[in-house]
Amino acid sequence: MTQSGAIDRSRLKRMSAEGAWVALGQVIAVLGGLAGVRILTEALDPSAYGDLALGITLATLAHQCVFGPLGHGTTRFWAAAGQAGTLPAYLVTVRRLALGAAAMVALAGIIGTTLLWVTDRRYWAIMVLLACGYAVLRGFNSMLGGLQNAARQRAIVALHQGGEVWLRFLLAAALVAVTSATGATAMGGFLLALSVVVTSQLLFFRRRVPQTGKGPGAGEDWGGRIRRFAWPFAAFGVFSWAQFASSRWSLEAFATTSEVGYFSVLFQLGFYPMSLMTAFVIQYLAPIFYERAGDASDPSRNDAVQALGSRLTFAAMLLTILATALAFLLHEPVFRLLAAAEYRAVSHLLPWLVLAGGLVASAQTVELNLMSMLRTSRMVGAKVVTATAGVAFNVVGARYFGTPGVVAANVAFAAPYLAWMLLLNRNLRKGAAADA
């Protein structure tokens, strides 16, 4: 056997092992999410479940606008920092950015909690405080997981990713059982679960991630590069959050909190699994895409990344079609298995949220191409316009049709979002061909 053949075998074996770990983590997470719906729908009535869903939207705002963009940036430049031999300097920068983000979210949480408390809205004051704590820990967990994934510590990421979902729902149900069946109590369980997982993540990160190389102050301005890469995500993050949150808050405003609970269960059983299945592939391939693209200056490397990305998007769209067809056939048994009896009246809407989730997931595979090419700013217009339209769709749908209207609004948002991302990627490829 030639030396190159041995290297190829070794590389294939390593990539197969990494893929198996990523798949395991996603399978555990999906099963945990589905089991968690059953556990919490048995523990909480639709109104309390709706309160929990509204609280989660508050935490999601911080993730979409602050921690999510930082996570994308820190993951994208891990390989470049390693190739430059400046990982310690890079990690110092990442830690500083993460602590600054946490301070920003904590300040906003303190202000919001104080205002709600003095206006005698004490239940929601507690919910906001819990949501901000959850947002900070979720952000730390996401950033640590992203860095370990970029470092190809797949087993650690998989075990924490899957375990966090199970622990979150189990601790929430346990707290509800011993205290009160409210959304705030369940949120407290979520917060406790993330505290355990983040502590474990941090311990493994310090032990396993390489810490050798040039010291702080040497080499690149990583903070500047991360911020330049991340700002578009922060810019359109508030619009993406508004599209996500408006589905819940529109139902709260025009219908009932119970309707929020029904929609949230539909979302977790339909949209969420599609997102997770695509996230498995993206989680596995993102470090490979970024490593192959490098600084995105080599046309041949860019072409290889684009070809791989096109195949990934086609596979995601095919999966969407198959999953939607299965949901039409199996929505009733799925709800009988995974939701309490009082939630089953809305099972017929499940296929449409599977479709919406698949379309959004397919768009995210296209985004991976744009991120690999360092073209995140090109996504701003598409994200802002489609998300703004999505908010309008949610408001109109909730106002006139309730839960079915919001489900339809999610499909109406997802389809043009995917189409626009495909158009951006096509234009990018055309531009690269013209430059060549």
Side-chain angles (χ1 to χ4, degrees), residues 144-208:
L144 285 167
L147 289 172
Q148 287 180 320
N149 187 54
R152 314 287 277 269
Q153 303 288 344
R154 308 289 200 173
I156 294 171
V157 174
L159 295 175
H160 284 88
Q161 185 177 57
E164 183 268 328
V165 176
W166 281 93
L167 191 62
R168 178 165 24 108
F169 285 110
L170 290 174
L171 288 182
L175 278 184
V176 166
V178 300
T179 56
S180 59
T182 68
T185 302
M187 179 70 82
F190 284 14
L191 181 62
L192 182 59
L194 271 175
S195 300
V196 174
V197 173
V198 168
T199 300
S200 178
Q201 282 264 49
L202 188 59
L203 291 174
F204 276 99
F205 185 79
R206 287 177 173 175
R207 289 176 54 190
R208 299 292 298 273

Side-chain angles (χ1 to χ4, degrees), residues 38 87 131 272:
R38 181 65 194 230
L87 274 179
Y272 179 67

Side-chain angles (χ1 to χ4, degrees), residues 293-325:
D295 61 2
S297 62
D298 185 333
S300 62
R301 294 174 70 176
N302 292 345
D303 289 344
V305 169
Q306 286 280 356
L308 181 59
S310 296
R311 292 194 291 271
L312 177 60
T313 301
F314 177 79
M317 294 173 70
L318 180 60
L319 175 63
T320 298
I321 294 170
L322 295 175
T324 303

Side-chain angles (χ1 to χ4, degrees), residues 34 263 265-278 316-331 334-335 347-362 407-408 410-411 414:
L34 296 177
F263 175 78
V265 170
L266 280 166
F267 190 89
Q268 287 180 279
L269 295 180
F271 195 106
Y272 179 67
M274 294 301 297
S275 298
L276 274 184
M277 281 189 283
T278 305
M317 294 173 70
L318 180 60
L319 175 63
T320 298
I321 294 170
L322 295 175
T324 303
L326 283 174
F328 273 109
L329 295 173
L330 302 174
H331 62 87
V334 166
F335 262 71
S347 73
H348 63 286
L349 299 172
L350 183 67
W352 299 105
L353 274 180
V354 171
L355 175 61
L359 294 174
V360 171
S362 300
V407 170
N410 273 261
V411 178

Side-chain angles (χ1 to χ4, degrees), residues 30-42 49 166 265-266 268-270 273 330-341 343-344 350:
V30 169
L31 293 176
L34 296 177
V37 172
R38 181 65 194 230
I39 291 168
L40 278 189
T41 55
E42 292 288 354
Y49 204 98
W166 281 93
V265 170
L266 280 166
Q268 287 180 279
L269 295 180
L330 302 174
H331 62 87
E332 289 184 352
V334 166
F335 262 71
R336 281 198 299 270
L337 178 64
L338 298 174
Y343 293 84
R344 295 172 191 167
L350 183 67

